[in-house]
Amino acid sequence: MKKVLVAFLTLLAMLLIVEPGQSLDFEDELNQLDPCLNYVTGKSGDKPSSECCKGVQALKSATPTTDGRRVTCLFLKRLVATLPEIKDDKVSSIYKKCNVPEAFPISKNANCET
């Protein structure tokens, strides 16, 4: 299970696009999203942890541009579709469950062009 998390978060971090001159601290982003694994795989019940929600907010803040959000959405869409351990209903509801305004959809059926 830890390997799934590492693959998920590493690929996510590699594909985030930010404005020229800006950078992300990928290690911090990965660490902040680590607590979400139990939620998106259905192992922690109906609510993500507060640590997970902090990571979701950090991801939203780290993708301030339309292009960055679109690329991140496309990547997550493909990732969710290829990793059966990740429950689409859990990952697609993570913004709402964390009370974070949706930056981009996260789902295997997401429309990343809007």
Side-chain angles (χ1 to χ4, degrees):
M1 185 58 68
K2 189 71 170 175
K3 289 180 184 180
V4 172
L5 173 66
V6 172
F8 172 75
L9 297 177
T10 301
L11 291 172
L12 172 62
M14 289 175 9
L15 291 177
L16 289 175
I17 291 181
V18 295
E19 288 286 312
Q22 290 182 328
S23 66
L24 291 175
D25 184 337
F26 293 129
E27 186 174 341
D28 283 348
E29 295 301 321
L30 294 176
N31 289 336
Q32 290 177 7
L33 292 175
D34 183 57
C36 296
L37 184 62
N38 284 335
Y39 176 72
V40 299
T41 57
K43 296 185 190 240
S44 69
D46 291 335
K47 186 174 180 185
S49 68
S50 61
E51 293 82 14
C52 171
C53 291
K54 288 176 188 175
V56 171
Q57 180 62 52
L59 177 62
K60 180 185 182 299
S61 298
T63 53
T65 68
T66 300
D67 287 340
R69 290 187 298 272
R70 186 173 296 126
V71 168
T72 304
C73 174
L74 289 168
F75 169 73
L76 290 173
K77 177 180 179 176
R78 287 186 212 123
L79 184 65
V80 170
T82 60
L83 293 174
E85 297 90 351
I86 295 176
K87 311 274 187 233
D88 195 54
D89 62 325
K90 296 282 189 181
V91 77
S92 65
S93 69
I94 202 162
Y95 287 115
K96 184 176 181 180
K97 295 283 185 170
C98 287
N99 293 316
V100 174
E102 186 173 294
F104 46 83
I106 304 174
S107 168
K108 64 182 177 185
N109 299 313
N111 178 359
C112 298
E113 297 304 316
T114 57

